[in-house]
C-alpha cells in the first residue's frame, strides 16, 4: 500500500514536471558578456539567477586575473546554486544562493577554456535545474 502511494506520488510529480517544462526547448545561450576589468584589476559582473536561468549566461573573462561575481537570486521560492568545476585548472566554485538573496564570490581562473556553469539543485524526482535549462558557460581567455 505504501509502495502504491509512493508510485502514485512519483507519477503525479512527473506529470506536473512535464507540464511545467516544455519539451524540446534547448537552453538558450544569451549574448556573451565580456566582464570588464576594474581599476583594481578585478573582473566584476552581476549574474541574476531565476528559475531556471542565469543572466547573463555566457561570461568571458581573462585568465590570471581575479573574478568577482555578485549572484542575485530573483527566484521566489526555489533555492539555486552556481557551480563551475575545472579540477585540472584548480577551479572549484560551488555557491548556494537562497531565493531572493545576493551572494558575492571570488575566484581566479588560471587556464583558458570554456567551462560549464550550472545549478545541480533538484526536487526529486523532477529533473535537475540544469536539465531545465539552468546552465551557462564561463569562457576563460
Ligand atoms: Cu537552480
Amino acid at each position: 500500500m505504501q509502495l502504491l502511494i509512493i508510485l502514485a506520488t512519483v507519477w503525479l510529480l512527473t506529470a506536473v514536471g512535464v507540464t511545467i517544462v516544455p519539451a524540446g526547448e534547448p537552453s538558450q545561450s544569451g549574448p556573451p558578456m565580456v566582464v570588464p576589468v576594474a581599476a583594481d584589476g578585478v573582473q566584476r559582473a552581476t549574474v541574476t539567477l531565476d528559475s531556471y536561468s542565469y543572466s547573463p549566461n555566457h561570461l568571458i573573462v581573462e585568465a590570471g586575473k581575479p573574478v568577482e561575481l555578485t549572484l542575485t537570486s530573483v527566484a521566489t521560492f526555489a533555492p539555486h546554486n552556481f557551480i563551475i568545476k575545472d579540477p585540472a585548472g584548480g577551479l572549484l566554485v560551488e555557491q548556494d544562493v537562497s531565493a531572493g538573496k545576493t551572494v558575492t564570490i571570488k575566484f581566479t581562473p588560471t587556464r583558458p577554456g570554456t567551462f560549464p556553469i550550472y545549478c545541480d539543485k533538484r526536487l526529486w524526482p523532477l529533473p535537475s535545474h540544469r536539465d531545465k535549462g539552468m546552465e551557462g558557460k564561463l569562457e576563460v581567455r
Side-chain angles (χ1 to χ4, degrees), residues 81-98:
N81 61 20
F82 184 95
I83 298 173
I84 305 171
K85 284 178 182 170
D86 173 28
L91 189 61
L92 183 64
V93 176
E94 191 161 0
Q95 179 64 56
D96 279 323
V97 189
S98 303

Side-chain angles (χ1 to χ4, degrees), residues 128-139:
S128 74
H129 293 185
R130 184 182 195 178
D131 290 335
K132 293 183 184 189
M134 195 160 184
E135 62 182 346
K137 55 188 163 188
L138 176 74
E139 191 177 330

Side-chain angles (χ1 to χ4, degrees), residues 8-88:
T9 308
V10 169
W11 175 83
L12 186 70
L13 286 172
T14 307
V16 170
V18 168
T19 313
I20 294 169
V21 185
E25 285 272 335
S27 60
Q28 296 175 345
S29 192
M33 181 204 185
V34 178
V35 179
V37 184
D40 60 2
V42 179
Q43 311 179 81
R44 285 192 184 85
T46 295
V47 177
T48 301
L49 289 73
D50 203 350
S51 303
Y52 300 89
S53 64
Y54 298 108
S55 181
N57 66 2
H58 181 174
L59 301 171
I60 299 174
V61 298
E62 290 176 44
K65 290 179 182 167
V67 176
E68 190 181 293
L69 298 178
T70 300
L71 307 174
T72 297
S73 170
V74 294
T76 48
F77 176 72
H80 293 296
N81 61 20
F82 184 95
I83 298 173
I84 305 171
K85 284 178 182 170
D86 173 28

